[in-house]
């Protein structure tokens, strides 16, 4: 549905409140370990050093931060998409948007959204992503002869300075806990959203139909 489309735009802007910063402490905390992923939050028992495909082997600081930027972005998209699946299907046929004409399983809502919604959505995503790239990434013209796709020095993955409600904790330990919660929710949402898509592709029924609601 259109709500799922909006999730892509919102998450593309990375407009969330818990930037992820490398941990400066020399000792492991409840949410990180300096010997794994350069001390970034998100290392939790029972799989503190979870990297089965060895993506981090030989990775420098820039590459590790790029991985975290990608994980955050996909996790944020998935969290919004999870909500979009449920809300979109729950209000289908009764929403004031698009004359309540969009119905069926959420995976079919995209194809039902009329123009010019798509043009506006693509434009909005482009503006948001361009801003994110400007904030977090080095200009390729300034890195000729160097490795591609470099984040700016000192840039914290996911942090574009957007915190309108002032929810970011000042205490480092509280901040690390909030960062880890966002990561864990994002990881779970990626699995859940993939499950939603697979289930609806399998039998063509919506989530609430399976739940009997």
């Amino acid at each position: 549905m259109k709500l799922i489309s909006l999730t892509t735009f919102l998450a593309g802007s990375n407009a969330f409140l818990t930037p992820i910063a490398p941990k400066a402490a020399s000792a492991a905390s409840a949410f990180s370990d300096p010997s794994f992923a350069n001390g970034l939050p998100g290392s939790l028992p029972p799989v503190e050093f979870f990297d089965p495909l060895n993506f981090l082997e030989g990775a420098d600081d820039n590459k590790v931060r790029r991985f975290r930027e990608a994980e955050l972005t996909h996790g944020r998209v998935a969290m919004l998409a999870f909500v979009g699946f449920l809300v979109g299907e729950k209000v289908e046929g009764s929403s004031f948007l698009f004359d309540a004409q969009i119905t069926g399983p959420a995976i079919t809502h995209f194809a039902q959204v009329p123009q010019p919604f798509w043009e506006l959505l693509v434009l909005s995503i482009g503006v948001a992503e361009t801003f994110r790239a400007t904030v977090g990434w080095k200009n390729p013209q300034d890195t000729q002869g160097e490795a591609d796709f470099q984040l700016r020095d000192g840039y914290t993955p996911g942090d574009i300075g957007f915190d309108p409600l002032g929810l970011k904790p000042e205490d480092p330990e509280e901040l690390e806990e909030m960062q880890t919660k966002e990561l864990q929710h994002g990881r779970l949402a990626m699995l859940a959203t993939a499950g939603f898509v697979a289930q609806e592709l399998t039998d063509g029924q919506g989530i609430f139909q399976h739940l009997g609601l």
Side-chain angles (χ1 to χ4, degrees):
M1 193 178 184
K2 61 278 176 181
L3 292 172
I4 303 174
S5 300
L6 291 174
T7 64
T8 306
F9 160 63
L10 291 173
S13 67
N14 269 7
F16 277 73
L17 306 173
T18 56
I20 306 300
K23 187 171 178 60
S26 58
S29 75
F31 308 105
S32 66
D33 191 307
S35 64
F36 181 71
N38 290 2
L40 290 172
S43 177
L44 295 171
V47 284
E48 294 91 335
F49 304 99
F50 187 77
D51 183 24
L53 299 181
N54 295 320
F55 284 123
L56 297 179
E57 184 176 355
D60 58 17
D61 176 70
N62 182 71
K63 190 172 185 179
V64 171
R65 290 190 297 136
R66 280 192 2 241
F67 284 153
R68 176 50 54 84
E69 177 89 358
E71 181 180 22
L72 276 170
T73 302
H74 285 84
R76 289 165 175 175
V77 169
M79 285 188 283
L80 289 168
F82 177 87
V83 175
F85 261 83
L86 299 180
V87 175
E89 292 185 1
K90 189 64 176 177
V91 303
E92 66 177 27
S94 61
S95 171
F96 66 92
L97 294 174
F98 305 114
D99 296 325
Q101 296 178 352
I102 299 176
T103 60
I107 58 172
T108 68
H109 291 183
F110 267 132
Q112 300 178 55
V113 177
Q115 294 178 327
F117 179 83
W118 283 109
E119 289 81 356
L120 295 174
L121 178 65
V122 171
L123 177 62
S124 299
I125 292 175
V127 171
E129 286 297 281
T130 299
F131 175 72
R132 182 172 71 94
T134 302
V135 172
W137 301 77
K138 292 182 179 180
N139 190 325
Q141 295 180 346
D142 299 331
T143 59
Q144 296 295 325
E146 302 178 16
D148 296 328
F149 308 113
Q150 293 191 40
L151 295 175
R152 293 185 183 277
D153 297 332
Y155 171 68
T156 300
D159 183 8
I160 59 173
F162 184 81
D163 185 17
L165 300 180
L167 299 179
K168 179 180 177 181
E170 296 293 336
D171 181 75
E173 293 185 3
E174 292 181 4
L175 175 60
E176 189 178 63
E177 181 178 359
M178 179 180 284
Q179 293 168 342
T180 302
K181 287 178 179 179
E182 181 187 21
L183 281 168
Q184 293 297 87
H185 283 85
R187 291 162 177 170
L188 180 60
M190 285 188 277
L191 293 173
T193 302
F196 283 176
V197 173
Q199 183 63 60
E200 293 192 355
L201 284 173
T202 299
D203 57 18
Q205 295 185 2
I207 304 303
F208 287 100
Q209 288 179 274
H210 287 284
L211 297 177
L213 301 175

